[in-house]
Amino acid sequence: MKLTENQEYLAQLRAIGSSEFLGGKTVLITGAGGMLGSCLVDTIVLGNRERKLSCTVIALGRNEEKLRERFYSYLENSNFRYIVQDVCQPLENMCENVDYIIHAASNADPANMAEHPVDTLMANVAGTDNLLKYGLSHGMKRFLFVSSGEVYGQLDGKQSSFTEAYCGSLNLSSPRSCYPEGKRAAEVLCQSYISQYGADVVIVRPCHLFGPTMYRRDSRAAAEFLWSAADGRNIILKSDGKKERSHCYMTDAVAAILLVLEKGEPGYAYNIADRQYQMTIGEFAEQAAEAGGCRVVFDIPQEQTANPSTPARQVLDSERLEALGWNPSWADRAAVGQTVNILRAAEESV
């Protein structure tokens, strides 16, 4: 069963229900084949089908095979098309006007960042520049940049969570900083376009997202835990699991992005984090193991290299987003189990 045929997943997309403002508009989504971008595409396409939005969706990604496989059921849809494009290059395969651009293209899992640090940084900096230039010359009403909670760096010990005004230290000697520094630089570039060219830009800073749009090859901890649970394999923890993180279910993050795209204050950044899913890595692993009927097994190396780019406490304050009217839909941590169920159903039907 393909994900877009799973009734549980489709019900979650229907519950988002905040995309009417896109009616008759054209939206360009970069990173469309990724975990977040694909869920955004699914949400709008479903709105077109069931609520007659007539929103044109342009899905941009680097891998044509991946785009065709992920969006196979949309290929004959007159309101959908994909473009094979690296955002680090000028957008020469497009010529039409766009109302909204959502820039979600970037390596975001540790393995890809380690292997392609230059690509990771440039997708954010050069990619943002190329997209803003295109948007300003093609009728763009608003640009939304998908940043990251990693931009905050290290907590200084004086506060318990990251608010949007905080800016902590990052290790500039580590290539792992390609991701948070790329996001920081892109945010400054957005602010510069606002100041110099009058662009309308909003920014979101997601925390650690999870959901059924995760790919099996994703090396992020949440993805590895949930895929292991779906397979019924024990979850291997290679640390003490005590680092604390903010998490958010994917469809709640999509609802937040659409809300900020519609109602966010120009130039503002908004944290995306669900207070109910604030927990340690170990607690998240235990939740996944319980859902998958497996166990958490510790396999801590004798010698571990400290990674200063990953703070021990990475908790985001979502008060600004909540003030816009965002309310996450999942209570009692049921989203972890729901993710395992959908991943398992997809695998069993292959």
Side-chain angles (χ1 to χ4, degrees), residues 17 24 63 67 188 190 233 309 346:
N63 188 316
L67 291 171
V188 175
C190 287
R233 294 181 285 112
S309 295

Side-chain angles (χ1 to χ4, degrees), residues 295-336:
R295 297 187 301 115
V296 175
V297 177
F298 288 86
D299 183 16
I300 304 174
Q302 295 258 338
E303 295 184 7
Q304 295 191 70
T305 302
N307 188 345
S309 295
T310 56
R313 181 177 170 82
Q314 199 172 52
V315 175
L316 277 60
D317 185 323
S318 58
E319 185 176 345
R320 178 180 288 180
L321 177 63
E322 292 164 0
L324 273 187
W326 181 72
N327 292 297
S329 58
W330 288 92
D332 302 323
R333 299 184 176 179
V336 175

Side-chain angles (χ1 to χ4, degrees), residues 73-121:
S73 61
Y74 306 156
L75 297 180
E76 303 302 321
N77 188 318
S78 61
N79 284 320
F80 172 87
R81 74 182 182 95
Y82 70 84
I83 292 177
V84 180
Q85 166 82 47
D86 185 337
V87 293
C88 294
Q89 304 300 320
L91 276 68
E92 297 176 346
N93 296 324
M94 285 184 61
C95 60
E96 68 261 55
N97 283 359
V98 293
D99 295 289
Y100 299 104
I101 296 177
I102 300 175
H103 182 21
S106 173
N107 292 327
D109 63 293
N112 266 329
M113 284 189 273
E115 188 174 356
H116 306 288
V118 174
D119 297 344
T120 300
L121 190 147

